[in-house]
């Protein structure tokens, strides 16, 4: 497995030529979709000259001599409202407020004190758009307000670009969700998670049955998926184990662009091309698979015009040191929140196999290649997977995760708040010393002497756990945390 730098792998993804399917959908279902073909008006809008105002349709020539000192009385006119057809013998509309008449709906004569030019207050045939003219080009994304105009121009359905993504999970040890795994078995959850993630982009998804660790069967599954989809994702089998056949199967029917990336997690990620279509091999560990999707699959889909969920990048303070190997890009899952007026991010345990890391995290921190460590207090880039505003309603905790901690989560959720934990294996009291969290859950009787000189308050929780907070932690989140912990 010859690995390449993360930025090089990203460049290969960006250089893939788009492959689109085509689907015709009712107009009302096209919001957010990208047009596969231009859309043209079915008829002139308006179909005939119409009044742009409430008033009187007249022959402009008959008004030429009108002035304030020489009022002109007209008997040849039509009373019109906005949108009424202007008959061919008339070429202008005088607004009702500029006319003197007896006030009836159908006056016999009107008096004017100013001339009007031909075409004034008249919408010409096809002024909005003429029959056969283009409304939107291919490649345009249909917005909600476009729908009304398209409907008004006679459009009832449109052809949109579609992309179908096929997901193949590989592994003889896989069992279906809902089954209880025996030793050596693994619940096949990656494809379920991947489908849920992809649905956010508005693409079609086909999830195929898991394939055993057999090169021939995997190759046949890839061939079938390539025929039926524009993109194929493979879960597991991308490493170099004795039962990892993905790379060899792709090589037999296409080519491998890269196999392995200097990054963590998701180091075994691979990219192949079969019949001009990308085939991406993702690692089997859940957080590694998520990382491949967020960094590579997302990039591919967005370049092809399919926008996914927001992923805003914010500047955050590292609450604890985030170590990395300087020869790779590290993407560490983390929990972030506003703490004492700044955004703080606490890294999760460095493990790509623990799915609870993904549950507890709301962002990831990128430590670029060439950087050995982000120290506590350093500014880091945190890429959110929740809306930015959620950080102001998130309580950030350090220390142990226990039954007592879970009670805090439940109380907070019922009140519309979120509680998140950093590395639950860490009892680093510097988090409290540095104001890098709202509180810490620690075993009852834990030695707090390193915090001598800082006024603390403690709350007893279930399971011999205590919540320790600084008395001077006074932001909104800390106030709510005290309520959830049973304090005043």
């Amino acid at each position: 497995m010859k690995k390449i730098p993360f930025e090089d792998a990203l460049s290969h993804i960006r250089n893939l030529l788009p492959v689109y399917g085509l689907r015709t959908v009712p107009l009302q279902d096209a919001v957010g979709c990208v047009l596969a073909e231009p859309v043209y008006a079915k008829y002139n809008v308006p179909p005939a000259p119409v009044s742009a105002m409430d008033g009187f349709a007249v022959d402009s020539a008959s008004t030429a001599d009108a002035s304030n000192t020489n009022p002109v009385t007209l008997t040849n006119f039509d009373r019109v409202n906005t949108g009424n057809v202007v008959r061919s013998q008339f070429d202008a509309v005088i607004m009702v407020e500029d006319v003197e008449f007896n006030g009836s709906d159908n006056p016999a004569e009107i008096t004017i004190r100013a001339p009007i030019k031909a075409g004034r207050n008249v919408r010409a045939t096809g002024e909005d758009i003429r029959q056969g003219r283009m409304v939107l080009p291919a490649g345009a994304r249909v917005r909600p307000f476009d729908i009304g105009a398209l409907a008004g121009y006679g459009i009832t359905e449109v052809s949109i670009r579609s992309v179908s993504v096929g997901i193949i999970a590989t592994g003889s040890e896989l069992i279906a969700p809902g089954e209880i795994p025996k030793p050596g078995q693994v619940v096949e959850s990656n494809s379920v998670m991947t489908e849920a993630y992809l649905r956010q982009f508005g693409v079609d998804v086909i999830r195929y049955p898991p394939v055993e660790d057999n090169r021939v069967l995997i190759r046949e599954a890839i061939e079938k998926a390539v025929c039926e989809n524009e993109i194929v994702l493979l879960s597991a089998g991308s490493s170099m184990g004795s039962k990892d056949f993905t790379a060899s199967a792709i090589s037999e029917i296409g080519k491998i662009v890269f196999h392995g990336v200097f990054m963590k997690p998701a180091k075994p990620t691979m990219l192949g091309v079969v019949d001009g279509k990308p085939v991406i091999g993702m690692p089997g560990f859940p957080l590694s698979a998520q990382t491949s999707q967020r960094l590579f699959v997302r990039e591919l889909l967005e370049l092809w015009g399919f926008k996914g969920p927001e992923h805003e990048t914010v500047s955050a303070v590292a609450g604890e040191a985030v170590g990395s190997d300087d020869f790779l890009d590290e993407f560490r899952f983390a929990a972030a929140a506003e703490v004492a007026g700044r955004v703080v991010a606490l890294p999760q345990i460095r493990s790509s196999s623990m799915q609870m890391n993904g549950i507890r995290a709301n962002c990831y921190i990128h430590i670029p290649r060439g950087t050995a460590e982000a120290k506590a207090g350093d500014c880091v880039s945190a890429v959110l997977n929740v809306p930015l505003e959620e950080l102001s309603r998130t309580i950030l905790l350090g220390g142990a995760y226990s039954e007592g901690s879970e009670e805090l989560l439940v109380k907070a959720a019922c009140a519309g708040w979120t509680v998140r934990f950093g590395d639950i294996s860490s009892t680093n009291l510097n988090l409290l010393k540095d104001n890098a969290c709202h509180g810490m859950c620690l075993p009852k009787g834990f030695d707090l002497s390193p915090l001598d000189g800082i006024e603390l308050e403690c709350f007893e929780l279930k399971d011999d756990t205590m919540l320790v907070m600084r008395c001077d932690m006074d932001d909104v989140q800390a106030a709510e945390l005290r309520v959830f912990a049973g304090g005043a």
Side-chain angles (χ1 to χ4, degrees):
M1 180 166 63
K2 184 179 180 182
K3 294 185 286 294
I4 64 173
F6 168 69
E7 287 297 335
D8 291 353
L10 209 53
S11 293
H12 284 298
I13 292 288
R14 290 168 177 160
N15 288 333
L16 291 168
L17 295 176
V19 182
Y20 298 119
L22 185 147
R23 186 154 49 91
T24 299
V25 298
L27 179 61
Q28 63 270 23
D29 295 337
V31 175
C33 298
V34 176
L35 294 176
E37 298 174 348
V39 180
Y40 299 95
K42 299 290 188 182
Y43 39 69
N44 294 327
V45 179
V50 296
S51 177
M53 298 286 179
D54 294 340
F56 298 88
V58 298
D59 176 9
S60 60
S62 66
T63 72
D65 296 331
S67 69
N68 194 44
T69 57
N70 183 44
V72 171
T73 298
L74 303 177
T75 57
N76 185 27
F77 58 84
D78 277 347
R79 180 72 187 267
V80 292
N81 293 319
T82 302
N84 288 165
V85 172
V86 176
R87 292 192 295 159
S88 59
Q89 61 263 46
F90 302 122
D91 62 1
V93 172
I94 303 174
M95 291 189 295
V96 68
E97 53 264 40
D98 294 336
V99 173
E100 298 170 11
F101 64 105
N102 62 11
S104 67
D105 289 339
N106 296 296
E109 60 181 33
I110 60 174
T111 300
I112 60 173
R113 294 180 179 272
I116 191 167
K117 293 182 179 180
R120 188 70 180 271
N121 299 326
V122 176
R123 294 182 60 207
T125 300
E127 179 183 292
D128 191 352
I129 196 165
R130 298 196 70 84
Q131 180 180 358
R133 294 300 301 270
M134 186 171 68
V135 183
L136 289 172
R141 187 181 299 279
V142 181
R143 302 168 300 176
F145 293 112
D146 295 332
I147 296 295
L150 290 167
Y153 302 154
I155 313 300
T156 58
E157 60 183 24
V158 292
S159 294
I160 61 169
R161 290 178 182 173
S162 67
V163 163
S164 179
V165 183
I167 308 170
I168 304 170
T170 67
S172 301
E173 75 282 8
L174 300 178
I175 60 173
E179 296 183 33
I180 298 176
K182 298 175 182 177
Q185 293 182 323
V186 176
V187 174
E188 200 293 284
S189 62
N190 274 356
S191 69
V192 180
M193 174 266 295
T194 302
E195 178 178 1
Y197 180 69
L198 294 173
R199 293 288 183 193
Q200 299 175 97
F201 292 83
V203 297
D204 300 319
V205 181
I206 299 177
R207 187 155 54 91
Y208 294 93
V211 182
E212 295 179 11
D213 290 317
N214 178 292
R215 189 179 70 255
V216 174
L217 295 178
I218 292 173
R219 184 190 67 213
E220 291 174 351
I222 294 172
E223 288 177 320
K224 175 179 172 61
V226 167
C227 287
E228 297 176 351
N229 302 274
E230 285 70 51
I231 299 171
V232 177
L233 304 181
L234 295 112
S235 174
S238 64
S239 192
M240 292 294 288
S242 60
K243 294 184 178 180
D244 292 321
F245 298 118
T246 299
S248 58
I250 293 173
S251 297
E252 290 178 10
I253 54 177
K255 68 173 183 177
I256 296 291
V257 179
F258 64 78
H259 185 187
V261 183
F262 286 114
M263 63 184 290
K264 184 181 285 188
K267 191 181 297 182
T269 300
M270 72 172 69
L271 171 64
V273 176
V274 178
D275 292 341
K277 299 178 181 181
V279 179
I280 299 176
M282 305 181 300
F285 283 138
L287 297 195
S288 293
Q290 288 183 35
T291 302
S292 285
Q293 290 165 32
R294 286 191 173 116
L295 298 177
F296 297 123
V297 179
R298 179 188 195 111
E299 184 76 13
L300 183 64
L301 290 174
E302 293 196 338
L303 284 170
W304 289 13
F306 295 87
K307 183 175 174 55
E310 294 298 324
H311 55 134
E312 188 166 354
T313 300
V314 298
S315 180
V317 173
E320 291 187 278
V322 186
S324 180
D325 299 317
D326 60 5
F327 64 87
L328 51 75
D329 284 79
E330 174 123 4
F331 300 90
R332 182 75 71 86
F333 283 75
E338 287 185 9
V339 181
R342 58 182 181 164
V343 176
V344 176
L346 296 183
Q348 301 286 307
I349 299 171
R350 195 181 191 187
S351 169
S352 61
S353 61
M354 289 184 59
Q355 286 182 277
M356 283 304 297
N357 276 358
I359 295 290
R360 296 186 181 111
N362 60 1
C363 67
Y364 65 80
I365 299 169
H366 181 195
I367 308 300
R369 189 181 188 200
T371 303
E373 180 185 58
K375 295 182 173 62
D378 283 354
C379 185
V380 294
S381 292
V383 182
L384 303 178
N385 55 35
V386 297
L388 176 61
E389 57 268 23
E390 187 175 306
L391 300 189
S392 62
R393 294 192 63 81
T394 298
I395 296 168
L396 191 60
L397 297 181
Y401 186 87
S402 65
E403 286 187 30
S405 309
E406 289 178 353
E407 277 200 346
L408 291 177
L409 269 68
V410 172
K411 291 179 180 179
C414 290
W417 290 78
T418 301
V419 175
R420 295 196 182 274
F421 273 79
D423 183 346
I424 59 172
S425 69
S426 170
T427 53
N428 179 9
L429 294 179
N430 285 331
L431 293 178
L432 289 173
K433 186 179 292 185
D434 299 336
N435 275 323
C437 66
H438 294 107
M440 293 189 71
C441 292
L442 299 167
K444 198 176 295 183
F446 191 85
D447 181 14
L448 299 176
S449 61
L451 297 177
D452 286 348
I454 299 176
E455 190 176 356
L456 302 172
E457 53 189 324
C458 298
F459 303 91
E460 289 191 8
L461 306 177
K462 267 187 177 182
D463 200 28
D464 289 328
T465 304
M466 62 179 179
L467 171 68
V468 182
M469 300 178 64
R470 292 178 61 126
C471 291
D472 59 0
M473 174 58 71
D474 60 356
D475 60 17
V476 176
Q477 293 94 322
E480 291 295 327
L481 178 58
R482 290 184 177 96
V483 173
F484 301 144

